[in-house]
Amino acid sequence: MSMDAPRVWVGCLHCYNNGRLVGDWFEADERGSLDDIEEVHDRSDAPLTESCEELWVMDHENIPEKGEMSTVTADEWLSAYEDIDDDDQWEAFYGWIQETGNDASSSADFVDYYHGLYHSTEDFAQELAEETMEIPESMSAYFDYDKWTHDVMMDYTAVDASGGMVHIIRDF
């Protein structure tokens, strides 16, 4: 697993409410165990009682949501990570979620609308112009790439990436 992969700390609510911290960190590839109360207790070497019925995500890393969450919500985020299946794209998805307010259920849309990593929005717009329009070389000096970039980026979201790069995602 990558350092940027999401992970969640799942704990037993009954134990927590009774002053005992029983739980463990679960990586994205362990999402099938998020609702397994026996697994959580086994990992903590804590006894499981009849009152131990509910699990809760009390902490998380690399998930673009604040605060605690249910195991169902955590499972949606970990599933989104599996859908994206690329750490660079996860960085873009994370930033895109923060920019747009979308949630984990939009991961399939993100995969469809992700255009890639570019040095700048201008580089993306110029590449798009070259792919979609035939501008004769003799006229390219008269083409206003700044205005074109401005207009194009009204339909896209740019998310800052490491190294001064930007991820480009088409809006839907």
Side-chain angles (χ1 to χ4, degrees):
M1 282 280 123
S2 162
M3 294 283 291
D4 294 328
R7 64 187 200 139
V8 296
W9 198 92
V10 180
C12 174
L13 272 180
H14 173 74
C15 293
Y16 179 78
N17 291 335
N18 286 290
R20 293 181 302 143
L21 196 55
V22 174
D24 200 10
W25 285 99
F26 286 78
E27 305 294 331
D29 61 353
E30 299 175 298
R31 61 182 264 265
S33 300
L34 294 183
D35 284 326
D36 188 341
I37 198 141
E38 289 180 24
E39 171 85 13
V40 170
H41 279 266
D42 285 347
R43 286 182 175 207
S44 299
D45 286 330
L48 179 64
T49 68
E50 284 184 20
S51 300
C52 298
E53 297 176 346
E54 189 173 1
L55 296 173
W56 193 252
V57 175
M58 298 177 188
D59 196 7
H60 55 81
E61 293 178 348
N62 300 314
I63 292 177
E65 191 166 308
K66 294 187 188 292
E68 298 176 0
M69 64 183 70
S70 70
T71 56
V72 172
T73 300
D75 184 64
E76 290 171 357
W77 284 112
L78 298 180
S79 176
Y81 180 76
E82 288 179 356
D83 290 347
I84 292 170
D85 195 34
D86 181 292
D87 289 338
D88 286 336
Q89 285 187 17
W90 181 254
E91 175 188 51
F93 181 67
Y94 190 106
W96 182 67
I97 291 296
Q98 291 178 317
E99 289 278 327
T100 62
N102 290 318
D103 61 20
S105 67
S106 60
S107 62
D109 292 328
F110 171 83
V111 170
D112 290 341
Y113 296 147
Y114 180 72
H115 278 267
L117 189 60
Y118 292 84
H119 289 286
S120 66
T121 56
E122 292 80 11
D123 284 352
F124 167 71
Q126 184 169 352
E127 183 178 302
L128 185 63
E130 291 168 359
E131 288 177 0
T132 59
M133 297 184 286
E134 291 187 30
I135 302 171
E137 192 172 319
S138 61
M139 295 180 69
S140 66
Y142 300 102
F143 189 80
D144 189 338
Y145 281 103
D146 289 337
K147 284 185 181 179
W148 169 254
T149 300
H150 176 268
D151 290 350
V152 164
M153 291 311 295
M154 290 171 41
D155 294 329
Y156 293 84
T157 298
V159 174
D160 291 337
S162 54
M165 307 278 281
V166 292
H167 296 280
I168 303 294
I169 305 104
R170 186 181 67 186
D171 297 335
F172 55 87

